[in-house]
Amino acid sequence: MANTLRRLYLGKRILSRERGEFALSALWRAKQEAEPGGSPLPEGFPMRDRLAAAGYVATGDLEGADEDELTEHTDLSRREAREVLAALAAL
């Protein structure tokens, strides 16, 4: 997952959350959000709220992501993941 420090922290945040390590997940969230990472996902961005719930809150969180990653770590379907990636490419 990691191709930037921000995405490394996102990956650790997701893994900690999946393991039920919520305090550790909160630590990684703080580190992730302290790193530069593009702009916040704009209003009207496809699946924005669902992405944010999974930890993808900025363009930098999605850069380098693929369909497999998004379907594995969010509740998005493959079609929805493709829509998100297309919208990111159009920004």
Side-chain angles (χ1 to χ4, degrees):
M1 173 186 283
N3 58 351
T4 64
L5 192 53
R6 184 175 175 97
R7 283 190 38 84
L8 173 71
Y9 293 150
L10 171 62
K12 291 181 176 291
R13 173 185 177 184
I14 290 170
L15 182 60
S16 297
R17 184 180 60 231
E18 289 172 352
R19 291 179 175 170
E21 300 167 337
F22 300 110
L24 188 55
S25 180
L27 170 78
W28 292 120
R29 176 184 179 173
K31 287 182 165 288
Q32 172 199 359
E33 292 179 355
E35 283 296 312
S39 56
L41 297 178
E43 291 291 329
F45 192 86
M47 317 313 153
R48 181 175 181 250
D49 292 341
R50 292 166 58 196
L51 289 165
Y56 297 86
V57 296
T59 56
D61 299 330
L62 289 170
E63 291 170 357
D66 61 18
E67 195 176 313
D68 290 335
E69 176 186 331
L70 292 178
T71 56
E72 181 178 347
H73 298 299
T74 69
D75 65 350
L76 300 179
S77 69
R78 289 210 167 268
R79 180 190 56 77
E80 291 168 329
R82 284 191 299 271
E83 185 179 342
V84 165
L85 295 172
L88 179 66
L91 289 179

